[in-house]
Amino acid sequence: MENYNKLKSLVAAIEADADKFFNNGNSAAGTRVRKGLQDIKTLAQEIRNEVTAKKNDGKK
């Protein structure tokens, strides 16, 4: 659950930069958004692995 909360925080953290990029055309903000999305992707994969491991532990 800790990683899930981190994921929510990451999404909230890039919101301002996404607004700057999409509404104001700020290229640097777009770069920060792309980096943040990569971090989200990595964390989401970790969460997927945790869920799979927990699910499979219950089947033993």
Side-chain angles (χ1 to χ4, degrees):
M1 192 69 184
E2 180 182 335
N3 278 340
Y4 182 74
N5 289 329
K6 286 181 187 177
L7 179 65
K8 291 193 313 187
S9 296
L10 280 172
V11 171
I14 67 169
E15 185 174 358
D17 284 325
D19 180 55
K20 289 177 187 175
F21 176 72
F22 289 110
N23 294 326
N24 301 333
N26 183 327
S27 296
T31 301
R32 291 189 297 272
V33 169
R34 288 179 51 232
K35 188 209 181 295
L37 290 172
Q38 185 62 43
D39 294 341
I40 288 170
K41 178 183 171 186
T42 302
L43 187 56
Q45 186 61 49
E46 289 177 21
I47 293 170
R48 286 175 48 94
N49 292 340
E50 288 176 12
V51 168
T52 300
K54 187 169 181 90
K55 181 183 71 156
N56 290 339
D57 285 345
K59 292 183 179 181
K60 290 182 181 179

